[in-house]
Amino acid sequence: MAGDFLYTSAMSHTAGRPTALFDGYRIGAAFDEMFSAPMRPRPHYKRLHEHLAGMATSEFHQRQQAADLAYLRQGITFNDYRDELGLERPFPVDLVPRIIDAQEWSRLEAGLKQRVHALNLFVHDVYHEQRILRQSVVPLDLVFGTAGYRPELRGIKVPNDVYLHISGIDLIRDTDGSYTVLEDNVRCPSGVSYVLENRRVMKHVLPNVFDQYDVRPVNDYPQRLREVLDDIAPKRGREPVIVVLTPGINNSAYFEHSFLAGQMGVQLVEGQDLVVDGGLVHMRTTRGLRRVDVIYRRIDDDFLDPVSFRADSALGVAGLVGVFRLGGVGLANGIGVGVADNKAVYHYVPAMIKYYLGEEPILANVPTYMAGSIDDRAYILEHLAELVVKAVDQSGGYGMLIGPHATSAERSEFRERIRCNPHGYIAQPTIQLSTHPTFVGDGMAGRHVDLRPFVLYGRDITVLPGGLTRVALRSGSLVVNSSQGGGSKDTWVLAGDGTSQC
Amino acid sequence: MLSRVAESLLWMSRYVERAENMARIIDVNFRLMLDAGVSGNHTAAWEPLVDLAPQTRMQFNEIYPEITPDTVMQFMTFDARNPNSIATALRNARKNAQGIRESISREMWEQINSMYLQLTGSGAFASWEADPYEFYRQVQFGSLQFQGTTDATMTRDDGWHFIQLGKCLERADSVTRILDIKYRLLVSPMGGDSVDAVQWIAVLKSCSAYEAFRRSQDSARIESRGVARFLLLNPAFPRSVMFCIDEAWNALKEIAGNQSRRSDSAADRSLGLLRAQLEFANIDDVLADMHGFLDGVQQQINRVGDNVHRLYLYGQLRPAFSNLAAQAAQAAVDQQ
């Protein structure tokens, strides 16, 4: 019966003598997470490698199928918008975990906290004194000229001055292995549900490997998130009523919305479930209206409130922004935080860190050329074949040109677009993302990965020990987005250095 | 409980029950076909299925040239254009469940999702072709398993009661439809007593009622009076109309219980009326105009559904936008 609807991928089954998983594994130009040299695993990967090397390809294949089936059964899927039928696909999980030792993690953690701290101060500044803009540390037009800026929020006090309750910072590793920030996601970063589900499935499918490491748990994330949300409720002397606001089952991240609501023990609502009445937000229940204190919204600003923003939005709640401005409801993340994560402002985050915190940035940026500046523009147009060009206000792998892999027609299309709207584009050198052994059906092969850790900002800033390792499943591909054929891996942050048996 | 969630729970439950009942009806017909009785006249045996709900006959005629066991089975089992096919019911059940995953247990969701994947997925048609009997059995067991899972994992709050309400109304409705069809068929001159008995056994089996009927006091002879009385009025058999309406009544009482102002609502009144009608029914009166009686019960069940909807669920509050789905796709696409 199970075989009837197995999620089948293009995998070949090797008959006869069992083959070893790492036969023929090659290290390319990129930094390899597991190996420092051919067949020389890094110290913290050593035991994982030993375990896997002793496994037959066919056995691993079976476990991979078990994991895929579990995901399909549980409906851990995402929707691809370009798929006309609206089919859900299981989010592919690769069973070779990515491992980060304690020392490396503590540096990452410090860097992430520092970055989110500065970004939050930036958002607060933009909606209040605007010092950083007046002093031209960040150019005015990168803020006021963009869709992320919401003048409705000028001078509005938010609880504890926190705007970025949940953020996901995308990190990559260059050829020398140094971690670099690729992108800040501070509006509705998604993927944390996969972090938790990947872990659950890994424990189930490869318990023996798991036993050998002292892996820090991730499953308290929903509770921590709930505490953050509790904190931004208007004070009322009773347990706050929290909801997760989803655009609905057609949204690609719907699984996650539902998952988080369930794990936090709060209600998942759609816009049609909420109504503003008497200056407060309520949900419609079988017993009449019930007041809502905090909304973890997974809907962009544009759709949040047809009165304030897009008038044709059927997903939002009319009057919600007004209630928020008067402190009648807590929102996570805050409104107008898009000013902090457009791809042009990204360039100035190291400067923000120095400006607000007086510290050197712990995590570096990828060098960025701003098409809006004349010199940079000339450079970009000249070196289009080597660069990655990104539209400032898009993400998810959309609106992007990867120069070395693009056709000349695509390049000339982007050349034209940049000329017409220079402020809308930035460019970065093509970076070799690190590779990680990934099961490809007949053994292991190196595939490019990135890392999205999740940062919570409540009373203080905490980083979930782990994160979503996204992997580009196509050979040679650098695009890891789930919407573009990416998968994911469980990410193990160790309590120690991973070399001693625990 | 959110009105939307309550509504989805109710419909999730109704659709699972619908799939199960449909599978029972087809299954029994299929097996009947294998008995000698009606082998000569397939149309007579399968036509009534197409008439189960008023709109389906039109739909069927548009798609299929003629009534054969195969066309009817395909139409009732897989056809997405048939609003009452098993596949449609399972798809709708899953869709409702998907929208409220956090309000049901993980096990309930997995059961509904597995059922959907297995019985409507790419391998479903082949497995039906290979063994239809087994296929319909899977649908029935899937539904029973879902009910057991629900029973064992769901908190007895309003959500539970909405699930029970949906299940009972759907089941009562479907029993009246099965009776109605067979009754029309059987009172028309079609065969002797032996055919009658075979047909009535089939009716009982399609309600999983054969053994229970045999153990009851009515069982000396298998003829219309006893079967109708058992399926309509038996207070203890879980698939009789009386029992279902009684359970629905209990569920509605529980839902209304904590909000006394609603205890004599239109929903309660319409259901109470139906309950009294069944409780005090005289089987001879019923038999005198069986079709009229069943039709009345069905209409009253619809009325209850409408009243529940108006009182607890969305009613007139649903937004009139048609572009919800398209917007939902865009609304947070940016940070995947």
Side-chain angles (χ1 to χ4, degrees):
Chain A
M1 174 184 118
D4 290 349
F5 50 96
L6 251 181
Y7 165 62
T8 47
S9 41
M11 293 179 171
S12 63
H13 221 308
T14 321
R17 189 184 67 87
T19 52
L21 278 169
F22 287 95
D23 283 359
Y25 188 85
R26 277 202 302 273
I27 302 175
F31 181 87
D32 193 90
E33 299 280 345
M34 185 184 276
F35 297 102
S36 54
M39 297 323 266
R40 288 268 310 278
R42 299 175 194 283
H44 60 297
Y45 269 102
K46 213 162 174 188
R47 259 170 311 120
L48 175 67
H49 176 253
E50 265 167 31
H51 188 93
L52 294 177
M55 227 168 163
T57 300
S58 56
E59 187 189 349
F60 197 88
H61 190 183
Q62 277 168 14
R63 299 199 185 202
Q64 182 68 52
Q65 284 183 325
D68 290 341
L69 184 60
Y71 268 42
L72 192 61
R73 278 238 172 102
Q74 289 158 28
I76 304 174
T77 56
F78 70 95
N79 306 337
D80 190 334
Y81 301 123
R82 294 161 309 168
D83 192 334
E84 298 263 312
L85 292 167
L87 289 181
E88 298 155 34
R89 307 196 192 152
F91 188 58
V93 56
D94 179 78
L95 291 184
V96 190
R98 191 233 197 106
I99 308 179
I100 301 172
D101 70 31
Q103 199 187 353
E104 198 166 39
W105 179 255
S106 70
R107 197 180 144 266
L108 280 181
E109 194 178 21
L112 292 164
K113 286 181 180 177
Q114 179 193 53
R115 193 164 176 107
V116 170
H117 189 192
L119 284 168
N120 191 70
L121 288 170
F122 174 70
V123 177
H124 183 266
D125 194 12
V126 163
Y127 290 106
H128 293 85
E129 301 88 2
Q130 304 182 333
R131 286 188 297 135
I132 201 167
L133 305 178
R134 286 172 211 282
Q135 294 173 25
S136 300
V137 178
V138 175
L140 282 175
D141 56 340
L142 292 188
V143 173
F144 298 135
T146 63
Y149 180 68
R150 303 289 175 185
E152 295 86 344
L153 274 297
R154 265 310 299 275
I156 297 302
K157 163 95 181 138
V158 301
N160 314 320
D161 291 336
V162 175
Y163 295 81
L164 310 179
H165 308 93
I166 302 106
S167 30
I169 311 292
D170 292 348
L171 302 172
I172 56 173
R173 293 181 90 172
D174 209 342
T175 38
D176 65 353
S178 60
Y179 282 93
T180 311
V181 177
L182 184 65
E183 206 167 287
D184 305 292
N185 300 286
V186 300
R187 280 166 294 162
C188 301
S190 72
V192 75
S193 57
Y194 300 125
V195 175
L196 273 64
E197 287 296 82
N198 285 355
R199 179 64 54 85
R200 217 172 60 86
V201 167
M202 282 295 286
K203 281 184 179 165
H204 195 71
V205 181
L206 285 173
N208 298 341
V209 192
F210 214 90
D211 279 353
Q212 299 179 23
Y213 282 98
D214 198 356
V215 182
R216 292 179 62 187
V218 290
N219 55 12
D220 61 344
Y221 178 84
Q223 183 52 35
R224 284 172 187 258
L225 175 59
R226 183 168 176 164
E227 284 161 18
V228 168
L229 297 174
D230 270 338
D231 254 10
I232 57 172
K235 300 286 168 279
R236 296 173 59 198
R238 63 156 177 78
E239 278 285 294
V241 176
I242 298 169
V243 299
V244 176
L245 175 59
T246 175
I249 63 171
N250 293 303
N251 188 262
S252 69
Y254 178 77
F255 165 75
E256 174 156 310
H257 306 161
S258 165
F259 176 86
L260 287 176
Q263 295 291 309
M264 285 194 286
V266 306
Q267 188 70 56
L268 181 70
V269 303
E270 296 177 14
Q272 53 174 329
D273 298 321
L274 298 181
V275 60
V276 170
D277 186 40
L280 298 169
V281 182
H282 305 271
M283 52 183 168
R284 307 181 213 263
T285 77
T286 52
R287 305 188 171 180
L289 296 182
R290 181 165 182 224
R291 184 173 164 192
V292 171
D293 301 301
V294 180
I295 302 174
Y296 174 29
R297 49 86 169 231
R298 295 294 298 256
I299 296 183
D300 279 353
D301 286 357
D302 265 347
F303 291 90
L304 201 55
D305 179 353
V307 174
S308 296
F309 305 133
R310 262 179 71 160
D312 68 338
S313 171
L315 306 167
V317 187
L320 177 60
V321 174
V323 179
F324 178 65
R325 281 163 53 102
L326 294 172
V329 68
L331 276 182
N333 286 350
I335 296 173
V337 301
V339 292
D341 76 353
N342 84 51
K343 291 188 166 71
V345 165
Y346 160 86
H347 180 58
Y348 295 93
V349 177
M352 280 176 208
I353 292 172
K354 284 181 204 147
Y355 181 80
Y356 291 118
L357 307 176
E359 296 170 6
E360 282 302 312
I362 299 171
L363 294 169
N365 263 19
V366 175
T368 302
Y369 303 99
M370 315 288 286
S373 97
I374 295 167
D375 292 352
D376 281 11
R377 180 157 68 244
Y379 180 87
I380 293 171
L381 293 174
E382 229 163 82
H383 296 84
L384 217 46
E386 301 148 32
L387 298 171
V388 175
V389 181
K390 295 174 178 175
V392 166
D393 51 6
Q394 286 199 50
S395 57
Y398 296 97
M400 197 167 140
L401 176 86
I402 300 180
H405 296 181
T407 63
S408 65
E410 286 166 337
R411 283 204 286 270
S412 46
E413 187 203 328
F414 262 77
R415 188 168 289 126
E416 203 44 44
R417 285 208 230 167
I418 294 169
R419 284 213 181 95
C420 294
N421 177 21
H423 290 277
Y425 292 90
I426 58 139
Q428 293 167 339
T430 313
I431 299 162
Q432 278 294 332
L433 274 59
S434 57
T435 56
H436 196 290
T438 301
F439 187 65
V440 294
D442 49 7
M444 294 295 170
R447 290 288 184 267
H448 292 293
V449 293
D450 77 347
L451 174 65
R452 175 180 288 182
F454 292 88
V455 185
L456 289 179
Y457 198 154
R459 297 252 161 95
D460 40 41
I461 306 175
T462 57
V463 185
L464 176 68
L468 186 65
T469 291
R470 299 186 296 181
V471 50
L473 295 173
R474 278 192 291 269
S475 174
S477 169
L478 294 170
V479 184
V480 296
N481 305 78
S482 54
S483 50
Q484 315 269 323
S488 74
K489 287 170 169 294
D490 191 11
T491 307
W492 294 358
V493 170
L494 305 180
D497 63 7
T499 56
S500 55
Q501 195 88 30
C502 64
Chain B
M1 157 149 307
L2 276 185
S3 297
R4 177 179 54 84
V5 173
E7 185 181 24
S8 288
L9 288 169
L10 185 136
W11 281 103
M12 169 189 75
S13 165
R14 275 196 88 147
Y15 280 122
V16 172
E17 182 69 26
R18 188 168 296 175
E20 181 191 337
N21 287 322
M22 198 55 70
R24 286 177 186 284
I25 293 168
I26 303 172
D27 182 27
V28 167
N29 241 42
F30 181 69
R31 279 193 278 177
L32 207 55
M33 196 172 76
L34 305 177
D35 288 340
V38 286
S39 60
N41 192 350
H42 286 159
T43 315
W46 290 95
E47 193 166 18
L49 266 69
V50 181
D51 290 324
L52 263 179
Q55 331 85 320
T56 44
R57 161 64 74 136
M58 256 168 50
Q59 200 95 41
F60 182 87
N61 287 341
E62 277 173 22
I63 306 168
Y64 298 96
E66 58 173 338
I67 289 180
T68 68
D70 248 24
T71 56
V72 175
M73 271 199 272
Q74 279 191 36
F75 179 66
M76 300 313 278
T77 307
F78 292 109
D79 208 308
R81 291 161 294 192
N82 175 4
N84 292 309
S85 72
I86 292 175
T88 307
L90 289 175
R91 188 171 309 115
N92 288 337
R94 177 178 182 262
K95 198 155 201 175
N96 275 290
Q98 198 177 25
I100 50 166
R101 280 191 59 170
E102 69 299 327
S103 304
I104 58 179
S105 66
R106 183 187 275 267
E107 290 84 354
M108 287 166 73
W109 160 252
E110 283 190 26
Q111 172 61 21
I112 249 182
N113 194 35
S114 299
M115 233 176 128
Y116 166 80
L117 292 170
Q118 188 199 343
L119 299 169
T120 71
S122 51
F125 192 75
S127 71
W128 173 76
E129 273 188 316
D131 190 349
Y133 168 72
E134 175 61 20
F135 182 88
Y136 294 117
R137 209 180 63 97
Q138 295 267 0
V139 179
Q140 294 167 46
F141 269 80
S143 161
L144 293 177
Q145 231 171 65
F146 175 72
Q147 287 168 30
T149 307
T150 305
D151 184 83
T153 59
M154 180 125 187
T155 309
R156 300 310 197 254
D157 56 9
D158 280 0
W160 161 266
H161 297 302
F162 277 108
I163 286 179
Q164 300 311 308
L165 185 62
K167 180 182 80 183
C168 294
L169 291 180
E170 179 70 26
R171 193 180 283 173
D173 183 73
S174 106
V175 172
T176 61
R177 284 177 200 280
I178 294 171
L179 266 179
D180 199 15
I181 286 169
K182 288 293 174 187
Y183 196 75
R184 264 188 285 169
L185 193 70
L186 292 176
V187 292
S188 62
M190 194 194 131
D193 278 352
S194 69
V195 175
D196 254 27
V198 170
Q199 290 281 352
W200 282 120
I201 289 172
V203 169
L204 287 167
K205 280 187 175 167
S206 65
C207 300
S208 259
Y210 181 65
E211 288 91 350
F213 176 78
R214 275 303 192 186
R215 285 192 293 268
S216 76
Q217 294 167 349
D218 286 317
S219 69
R221 291 175 53 208
I222 298 183
E223 35 82 73
S224 55
R225 192 170 190 276
V227 174
R229 179 156 71 189
F230 187 78
L231 288 180
L232 282 174
L233 307 178
N234 188 300
F237 178 65
R239 304 192 87 84
S240 84
V241 176
M242 178 73 236
F243 185 93
C244 293
I245 295 305
D246 227 23
E247 286 284 287
W249 173 255
N250 291 338
L252 198 57
K253 271 284 158 214
E254 291 286 344
I255 292 166
N258 305 321
Q259 27 192 346
S260 48
R261 69 193 165 86
R262 284 173 167 181
S263 64
D264 62 343
S265 66
D268 291 73
R269 276 199 305 277
S270 48
L271 189 55
L273 208 62
L274 178 56
R275 188 162 164 261
Q277 203 183 337
L278 289 163
E279 199 170 348
F280 300 108
N282 176 314
I283 191 65
D284 293 315
D285 295 347
V286 172
L287 287 172
D289 179 14
M290 181 73 133
H291 177 69
F293 180 82
L294 294 173
D295 208 41
V297 171
Q298 284 167 22
Q299 283 182 24
Q300 192 66 10
I301 289 174
N302 286 343
R303 221 166 282 141
V304 173
D306 288 348
N307 287 332
V308 166
H309 206 267
R310 211 163 295 131
L311 187 61
Y312 298 107
L313 311 179
Y314 262 107
Q316 64 283 48
L317 294 173
R318 195 180 291 289
F321 294 99
S322 57
N323 56 346
L324 269 173
Q327 284 197 352
Q330 302 166 31
V333 64
D334 52 333
Q335 303 197 312
Q336 293 301 306

